[in-house]
Amino acid sequence: MGDLRSCHLTILEVGGAFAYKFEKLVNFLSLPTLIITDLDSVAAATADDEDADAEESNAASSCPVDTPGAVTSNETLKQWLPKMNVIHDLLAAETESKAPATTDGTSGLVRVAYQTCEPVTWEGSTEARAGRTLEEAFALQNLGWTQSDEGKNVGLRIR
C-alpha cells in the first residue's frame, strides 16, 4: 500500500444503520470500506408490539445491551455485516464475521465496526460493558468526567 499522503480517502456520512443500502455499489466498485455504526439495542418484539406503530415501537423499546434477549434495530448489522440480529451474538462476533474474506480466501474489502465490551471502572468496581451507541460507549470510557458535575452539561449521564 502506498504512502497515506498519496491515497484518497472519502468519508460518507449515511447513518451507519443505512450503510447496507450501499452494499451493491461498494461491491461493484471494489472499494475498501469501513462501516462505523451503533449496536442500537432494542427489546425483542412481543406479540403486543406487532399491533403498535413500528416507528413508535422502535423508539420506545431502546434498551441497554445487557438486556436479556435484546436485538439490534440496525439494518446494516442485520442485512449486510455481520448478518446478526441478537445483541449477545453481535458482542461475541469474531473478526471473520465483521470482515469476511472473499470466496478465494483473500482479505475482504469491507469491515464493520461497532461497540464491543470494554472494561469499565466505577467506584472501585470493574466490569465489561458495551454502550448501545457511540455516545454511550464514550461516556462509559470516561465515567469520571461524564458523571461529574463538570461533565453534566455534556448530557452523557449513565444510569
Side-chain angles (χ1 to χ4, degrees), residues 36-39 115 131-140 156:
I36 302 172
T37 193
D38 288 328
L39 279 172
Q115 294 77 21
R132 73 176 297 278
T133 64
L134 172 68
E135 295 83 4
E136 190 173 307
F138 176 86
L140 286 168
L156 296 175

Side-chain angles (χ1 to χ4, degrees), residues 21-140:
K21 294 184 178 214
F22 293 88
E23 179 180 7
K24 289 181 183 176
L25 178 64
V26 165
N27 289 336
F28 174 76
L29 296 174
S30 297
L31 293 173
T33 303
L34 172 63
I35 303 160
I36 302 172
T37 193
D38 288 328
L39 279 172
D40 295 330
S41 55
V42 295
T46 64
D48 295 338
D49 293 338
E50 293 173 10
D51 296 332
D53 177 61
E55 189 172 315
E56 288 179 24
S57 177
N58 282 342
S61 63
S62 296
C63 67
V65 298
D66 58 356
T67 301
V71 295
T72 184
S73 63
N74 186 314
E75 292 299 321
T76 295
L77 297 177
K78 292 191 288 188
Q79 295 187 37
W80 191 1
L81 288 175
K83 292 189 178 172
M84 294 178 185
N85 186 41
V86 178
I87 296 295
H88 178 269
D89 296 343
L90 286 161
L91 290 173
E94 298 290 334
T95 301
E96 295 78 25
S97 60
K98 296 177 187 178
T102 62
T103 54
D104 66 2
T106 59
S107 296
L109 292 175
V110 181
R111 166 69 153 99
V112 67
Y114 52 83
Q115 294 77 21
T116 58
C117 288
E118 298 290 332
V120 174
T121 302
W122 181 247
E123 297 180 347
S125 178
T126 301
E127 60 183 67
R129 299 285 305 266
R132 73 176 297 278
T133 64
L134 172 68
E135 295 83 4
E136 190 173 307
F138 176 86
L140 286 168

